[in-house]
Amino acid sequence: LALEYEQSEIAHLMLHRPEWSDKEFDRSLDLYDSFVNCEDSYVSPAIHEALVCLDQAYKLFGPECVICSFNGGKDAVVILHLVRAAHANYFRQKGSAPTKPRVIYFDHANEFSEILALLSDNVDEYDLDMIAFEPGTKFADGLKMLVDNNRVDEAAKRAAPLAFVLGTRSSDPNAGSQGNFAPSTMETMPPFMRVNPILSWTYGHVWHFIR
């Protein structure tokens, strides 16, 4: 599942986005519409807020520059489904051929086999475009490779800004004063935009959504 990438390989992966299958595109459109029409009074306001955030991210950065963090955890599962829905809706509005939603994963030497199985199953089921870094790759190093090589066409002389969708919630220790959009500020991190669609979600929202 996880690989060691050279700069040239990352550059190729970032530039060439495979087309999304019609089946998963249609399923994700149906999912988006079900989210919009959700009548569950407990979770629907949170879902609508998350979709507004993601729709804005896609309009501002474009689908080539939106990447979803996916590590198999509960919050990551939530944003995966929100992202694939928003991804499909973007292409519906544009009327262009959809590319696969892109997700990123950093492998760990002691990762549970169940997590790896879940990741693999989700990539296959939803026809995702995953970049998975091998164990030992530091988060900042892997992210820098993506940021430095994020070109939307071969003629581009500089990398395009990258929007990194995270499952951060306000109760998380690392949330700090982040908003739905929060640029990276740490000196050890490359410049990118954090997108936090479920920042206001509670633990209850997360499990209610998954169920």
Side-chain angles (χ1 to χ4, degrees):
L1 184 67
L3 299 172
E4 180 180 4
Y5 297 103
E6 300 292 340
Q7 286 283 353
S8 59
E9 293 174 306
I10 287 292
H12 178 82
L13 290 172
M14 296 298 284
L15 183 60
H16 299 281
R17 302 290 293 269
E19 289 190 5
W20 207 6
S21 69
D22 291 340
K23 175 185 175 182
E24 291 312 317
F25 174 56
D26 290 341
R27 285 181 64 193
S28 295
L29 281 179
D30 290 343
L31 183 65
Y32 185 93
D33 292 339
S34 69
F35 286 159
V36 170
N37 297 317
C38 177
E39 297 181 351
D40 186 320
S41 60
Y42 176 63
V43 76
S44 62
I47 291 175
H48 291 164
E49 180 183 353
L51 288 180
V52 167
C53 174
L54 288 170
D55 287 341
Q56 289 177 339
Y58 274 92
K59 289 177 182 177
L60 289 170
F61 293 90
E64 304 88 356
C65 300
V66 176
I67 298 183
C68 176
S69 173
F70 187 53
N71 61 9
K74 64 185 187 306
D75 297 331
V77 169
V78 171
I79 63 168
L80 171 65
H81 294 301
L82 291 168
V83 163
R84 69 183 183 89
H87 190 84
N89 184 60
Y90 174 88
F91 281 102
R92 173 168 58 185
Q93 292 180 335
K94 290 295 183 180
S96 54
T99 56
K100 295 183 179 183
R102 173 159 286 165
V103 297
I104 181 176
Y105 167 68
F106 287 83
D107 199 2
H108 303 281
N110 299 317
E111 186 65 275
F112 292 110
S113 59
E114 292 84 357
I115 291 292
L116 295 177
L118 174 67
L119 294 170
S120 181
D121 289 347
N122 277 242
V123 169
D124 291 340
E125 181 174 359
Y126 303 117
D127 196 26
L128 306 175
D129 180 18
M130 173 176 273
I131 296 177
F133 289 98
E134 69 171 0
T137 303
K138 294 181 179 179
F139 181 80
D141 293 340
L143 196 55
K144 187 176 188 304
M145 292 180 72
L146 300 180
V147 169
D148 290 348
N149 292 282
N150 189 41
R151 287 173 172 77
V152 297
D153 60 65
E154 294 181 351
K157 295 183 179 180
R158 63 178 63 183
L162 181 68
F164 195 41
V165 184
L166 299 161
T168 301
R169 292 184 290 118
S170 58
S171 58
D172 292 342
N174 65 332
S177 59
Q178 291 183 41
N180 289 126
F181 292 88
S184 61
T185 55
M186 295 177 60
E187 294 182 359
T188 57
M189 299 293 287
F192 68 95
M193 180 64 73
R194 296 183 184 88
V195 181
N196 301 316
I198 63 170
L199 190 66
S200 66
W201 286 39
T202 66
Y203 192 76
H205 287 132
V206 170
W207 283 114
H208 192 84
F209 177 93
I210 292 174
R211 288 197 297 267

